[in-house]
Amino acid sequence: MSDKNENTSRIVYLLGAGASYPALPLASGVAGGMVKWGKKLRSEARSIYKESAEKDSILEMGSELTKWGNEASKHFSIDTLAKKLFLTNQSKELIKLKATMSTFFMLE
């Protein structure tokens, strides 16, 4: 009985409830941050990579960041958007959102 309670009390949250602020934005800043990074990636890909596979990949990721950031800004938070995708059985879109968010957090 006490082992379970002791283990639970040792959990450290790296994300959520502002635990990672200011290193990462609060939930309210994720959508805007995704759009910011999307624009930055697209801009830099065009100027740094002339014609290459890397350029296409970076442009695509920039577009995904911008797309999901804009979509998230229409909801209360990015979490609300993810929950909507989950509840409406949009599994492929939810996977894309998660991958894009992972990229965003790495960049940020």
Side-chain angles (χ1 to χ4, degrees), residues 84-96:
K84 173 189 164 191
L85 294 173
F86 175 77
L87 293 174
T88 57
N89 295 319
Q90 296 181 58
S91 307
K92 289 181 183 179
E93 293 300 302
L94 182 57
I95 290 169
K96 289 179 186 178

Side-chain angles (χ1 to χ4, degrees), residues 33 42 44 74 82 87 102:
R42 289 195 327 252
E44 290 184 7
K74 298 174 188 173
L87 293 174
S102 295

Side-chain angles (χ1 to χ4, degrees), residues 13-92:
Y13 293 93
L14 299 178
L15 297 172
S20 57
Y21 185 79
L24 294 173
L26 298 173
S28 60
V30 171
M34 290 174 81
V35 171
K36 176 192 81 167
W37 273 107
K39 289 178 180 177
K40 182 174 178 140
L41 285 179
R42 289 195 327 252
S43 171
E44 290 184 7
R46 289 187 184 102
S47 63
I48 295 173
Y49 300 97
K50 301 304 176 202
E51 293 298 325
S52 66
E54 291 88 357
K55 177 183 175 184
D56 293 341
S57 296
I58 293 168
L59 286 172
E60 181 180 357
M61 183 48 62
S63 294
E64 287 292 308
L65 282 161
T66 302
K67 173 186 133 183
W68 287 112
N70 285 329
E71 187 62 30
S73 69
K74 298 174 188 173
H75 296 79
F76 181 72
S77 72
I78 195 86
D79 297 323
T80 307
L81 172 58
K83 184 175 182 177
K84 173 189 164 191
L85 294 173
F86 175 77
L87 293 174
T88 57
N89 295 319
Q90 296 181 58
S91 307
K92 289 181 183 179

